[in-house]
Amino acid sequence: MATACGNIFIIGGLTGIEDGNPAIGDVCITKITSKGTVLWAKKIGYAGSFDQPHDAKGTTDGGVIIAGATQSHNPHGDAWLIKLDANAAIEWSFGSGAPSGSLMNVIQLSDGGYAAVGDISVGLDNLGAVTLPAAYT
């Protein structure tokens, strides 16, 4: 993904074995110049959790927003957004708290906010009305 200033973000998942447990994964992101010089590289994830990126976009402040999923709090997956600044520091991270979910795409809006799409599991109350996790109410 190229940014307005010509830098490029490379994002992917890293899977391996941790303490003998298979399928441990982290989000890996690298920022390089248009000539291939690495500006920084970062691994993001929770210990013992399978975390995966699905989309990333450069932001107007020179950082990056990442949409994906984490199993850090839920074995079925939790929709996850991560915002990094221009120097790879995590500004914030948001998990949906839903029973399961994953975010597949994210964009920055003209007002500086973000919109993400994906799938998030919701429940039905005893009257058949949709119930959302507290993070969405």
Side-chain angles (χ1 to χ4, degrees):
M1 161 192 52
T3 64
C5 61
N7 292 325
I8 300 166
F9 289 107
I10 301 170
I11 189 163
L14 174 68
T15 303
I17 295 177
E18 183 177 292
D19 297 329
N21 297 314
I24 302 302
D26 287 313
V27 173
C28 298
I29 184 162
T30 303
K31 184 177 183 180
I32 63 174
T33 66
S34 60
K35 295 184 180 194
T37 302
V38 174
L39 299 173
W40 52 256
K42 185 162 188 92
K43 182 178 85 161
I44 306 164
Y46 294 94
S49 172
F50 187 71
D51 307 310
Q52 57 191 151
H54 294 295
D55 190 27
K57 299 284 187 329
T59 57
T60 56
D61 63 1
V64 63
I65 184 86
I66 304 166
T70 180
Q71 291 179 334
S72 61
H73 307 295
N74 179 347
H76 302 289
D78 188 12
W80 194 26
L81 279 176
I82 312 155
K83 172 65 174 76
L84 303 180
D85 70 13
N87 297 310
I90 296 175
E91 290 185 8
W92 51 264
S93 175
F94 172 80
S96 70
S100 67
S102 183
L103 295 174
M104 302 306 287
N105 296 92
V106 62
I107 61 169
Q108 186 169 21
L109 304 173
S110 60
D111 67 0
Y114 302 95
V117 296
D119 64 271
I120 296 175
S121 188
V122 296
L124 297 177
D125 67 13
N126 60 354
L127 300 174
V130 172
T131 58
L132 294 172
Y136 292 102
T137 57

